[in-house]
Amino acid sequence: MPKTKIEEELEKGAELSIIGLVDSLIEHAYTARASDIHIDPEEKRVRVRLRIDGVLHDSFIFPNEVHSEIITRIKVLSGLRTDEHQAAQDGRFRIPLKKIGPVDVRVSIAPTYYGENAVMRLLAERGEKITFNSLGFNPRDRLKIEQAIKKPYGMVLATGPTGSGKTTSLYTLIKILKTPEVSIITIEDPIEYSIEGVDQIQVNPRTGLTFASGLRSILRQDPNIIMVGEIRDEETARIAVNASLTGHLLLSTLHTNDAPTTLPRLLDMKIEPFLIASTVNIAIGQRLVRKICSTCKTKKAVTMDELKSLSEVLPPETLAEYKEFYKGAGCGECNQSGYKGRIGIYEVLEMDDAVRAAVLRKADASEIREIAVKNGMTTMIKDGLEKVMAGVTTIEEILRVIHE
């Protein structure tokens, strides 16, 4: 097992190979399905944690003596300055692993109280294996999205906090849209993984290549479909809206808590209500929840505390529908956690006539939500509870994510 390799390396003492240790750590993290490796120096040791299915787990303790050599090795791989210890540095590298192939690693190093830490994000090509089916949309929402991306122009917006799977959703839609007849260009920060047949541009503020300036350049390159990594400011929002008005299908992300808040957020960015009403095709609100391990899945009784938490977000008549719940007992397959893998819970807001009218009169998010639910929108918590009933995830996961 890769874990044994790491322990073997550490036991070598003076003959320890830092190159072998870093390679083994990345290989172990990949095999454990980790998305991130955190190397945190402490007073008398170095703590290594892996983020698996969105949750950090303590994995290894390294002696302090190897700390600076590990950081130097990561800097060398990433092409960063090895003599700089007081400033944050970002980079990336590709490492070939036996039996796995190349794994792209994005690196962030920052000075902390006990020395430099390192966070490595694994951007392996396993992202390519994600399909529209595996994202977890219910049939109603899937149909709405398929209709929205078939339109020749307009905006498709994915919303949610950092780490809620927005970029993965957009990449999956890009792969559906990718045909020889259309030109697709993206501007991202960072490029998570490459998609064959799509021109991907990396934001670089040092050379003046921002989302806004890059989007202007893209419009001169005759694209049919544009993906903007994130709409962060008024200028990017304005250019994105203009692009979707002039015959481009534009996909992007926004940092909002849910789908209905997307429309007032664009108003905050000084976009005119009539432009929002005529350019937004659909807004997808999403979160990621851990899936129950299929090997150790078992039925469970719901606790009074869980019922109380649910009653705060659901009316009693809806709550009465939910009788059967499941959990993972914990086994070797899921490392005793009861969970293996993640899936999205969603709400998909379609821009119909009633929502357009609400936007034109600058209605707030709660009113827009009310109208959307009345017209058939499945809320994120309802979608989550449907997945709980189907035995896909647990009630604890839904409550954890909703209360975050």
Side-chain angles (χ1 to χ4, degrees):
M1 287 291 289
K3 187 167 184 174
T4 317
K5 274 192 203 173
I6 295 168
E7 288 164 349
E8 280 173 7
E9 286 291 349
L10 290 171
E11 283 164 12
K12 285 180 184 174
E15 294 173 21
L16 169 69
S17 161
I18 293 297
I19 292 172
L21 183 62
V22 172
D23 286 2
S24 297
L25 181 58
I26 294 168
E27 188 178 334
H28 172 75
Y30 182 91
T31 310
R33 300 177 298 104
S35 59
D36 301 83
I37 304 168
H38 288 242
I39 300 172
D40 300 315
E42 296 178 352
E43 188 178 5
K44 295 177 181 172
R45 61 182 193 168
V46 178
R47 188 157 67 129
V48 178
R49 293 181 293 167
L50 302 182
R51 188 178 293 281
I52 301 169
D53 294 334
V55 178
L56 277 170
H57 299 267
D58 276 328
S59 297
F60 304 103
I61 298 297
F62 289 173
N64 251 346
E65 301 78 68
V66 301
H67 171 239
S68 62
E69 291 179 76
I70 289 172
I71 298 295
T72 300
R73 173 62 183 159
I74 294 166
K75 284 180 178 178
V76 167
L77 285 168
S78 313
L80 302 177
R81 285 183 56 183
T82 55
D83 60 342
E84 175 58 77
H85 305 290
Q86 300 305 318
Q89 296 189 74
D90 297 320
R92 67 190 292 157
F93 62 88
R94 172 171 281 201
I95 187 166
L97 297 177
K98 288 172 191 170
K99 299 180 186 172
I100 292 170
V103 175
D104 284 319
V105 182
R106 194 169 84 227
V107 174
S108 174
I109 292 174
T112 68
Y113 188 72
Y114 290 112
E116 290 172 289
N117 78 346
V119 177
M120 294 188 282
R121 170 155 288 190
L122 309 185
L123 304 169
E125 291 301 315
R126 56 185 161 197
E128 289 288 339
K129 296 170 190 165
I130 294 169
T131 63
F132 200 15
N133 283 337
S134 66
L135 288 177
F137 286 103
N138 66 45
R140 301 180 298 278
D141 289 344
R142 184 178 170 144
L143 185 64
K144 288 179 190 174
I145 293 166
E146 284 171 343
Q147 287 170 344
I149 63 174
K150 278 177 188 166
K151 293 179 181 176
Y153 58 87
M155 291 201 289
V156 173
L157 300 172
T159 73
T162 303
S164 57
K166 301 185 296 294
T167 306
T168 301
S169 295
L170 293 189
Y171 273 166
T172 308
L173 297 181
I174 288 283
K175 283 185 276 182
I176 294 168
L177 291 163
K178 186 185 70 172
T179 62
E181 295 81 41
V182 296
S183 164
I184 303 176
I185 305 180
T186 76
I187 179 155
E188 304 170 59
D189 183 24
I191 295 170
E192 296 281 347
Y193 46 83
S194 61
I195 306 173
E196 201 177 327
V198 174
D199 293 323
Q200 293 170 275
I201 299 167
Q202 168 73 53
V203 163
N204 188 348
R206 277 178 290 185
T207 61
L209 181 56
T210 61
F211 279 123
S213 64
L215 188 47
R216 274 200 200 89
S217 304
I218 286 172
L219 290 171
R220 293 192 283 273
Q221 299 219 332
D222 186 34
N224 301 94
I225 298 160
I226 301 165
M227 179 179 124
V228 182
E230 188 187 340
I231 295 176
R232 291 179 183 168
D233 52 54
E234 290 175 18
E235 190 182 7
T236 310
R238 195 172 61 250
I239 303 164
V241 166
N242 286 336
S244 53
L245 271 176
T246 53
H248 302 90
L249 182 64
L250 187 132
L251 287 72
S252 190
T253 70
L254 266 179
H255 277 285
T256 63
N257 284 332
D258 53 28
T261 315
T262 306
L263 307 175
R265 177 82 184 99
L266 290 170
L267 281 172
D268 293 343
M269 289 180 163
K270 308 284 192 295
I271 304 299
E272 292 292 336
F274 73 92
L275 289 175
I276 298 169
S278 54
T279 56
V280 176
N281 293 349
I282 208 161
I284 305 163
Q286 64 180 81
R287 297 285 192 284
L288 287 176
V289 294
R290 291 180 291 172
K291 292 196 291 186
I292 298 171
C293 172
S294 55
T295 310
C296 59
K297 184 161 90 171
T298 177
K299 283 187 183 180
K300 67 157 278 187
V302 65
T303 66
M304 290 307 293
D305 285 343
E306 287 166 348
L307 275 174
K308 192 180 171 199
S309 293
L310 281 174
S311 65
E312 289 170 15
V313 285
L314 282 175
E317 62 273 15
T318 307
L319 204 51
E321 296 171 28
Y322 300 101
K323 302 272 193 312
E324 236 170 43
F325 298 96
Y326 298 84
K327 67 171 184 177
C331 64
E333 277 289 308
C334 60
N335 207 15
Q336 305 304 322
S337 69
Y339 297 101
K340 190 174 181 185
R342 287 194 290 175
I343 196 165
I345 58 170
Y346 305 94
E347 56 187 21
V348 177
L349 174 69
E350 208 173 10
M351 188 62 91
D352 57 23
D353 292 340
V355 174
R356 277 195 194 93
V359 171
L360 288 171
R361 64 171 185 274
K362 298 188 178 180
D364 62 17
S366 58
E367 190 185 338
I368 292 170
R369 168 175 290 279
E370 218 172 273
I371 293 164
V373 169
K374 192 178 165 189
N375 291 352
M377 182 181 86
T378 304
T379 62
M380 222 179 298
I381 188 157
K382 186 94 189 313
D383 186 47
L385 285 170
E386 284 176 6
K387 290 182 170 78
V388 167
M389 290 299 291
V392 175
T393 188
T394 65
I395 200 150
E396 294 96 327
E397 270 298 281
I398 302 300
L399 293 171
R400 178 181 72 86
V401 166
I402 294 298
H403 290 312
E404 262 181 359

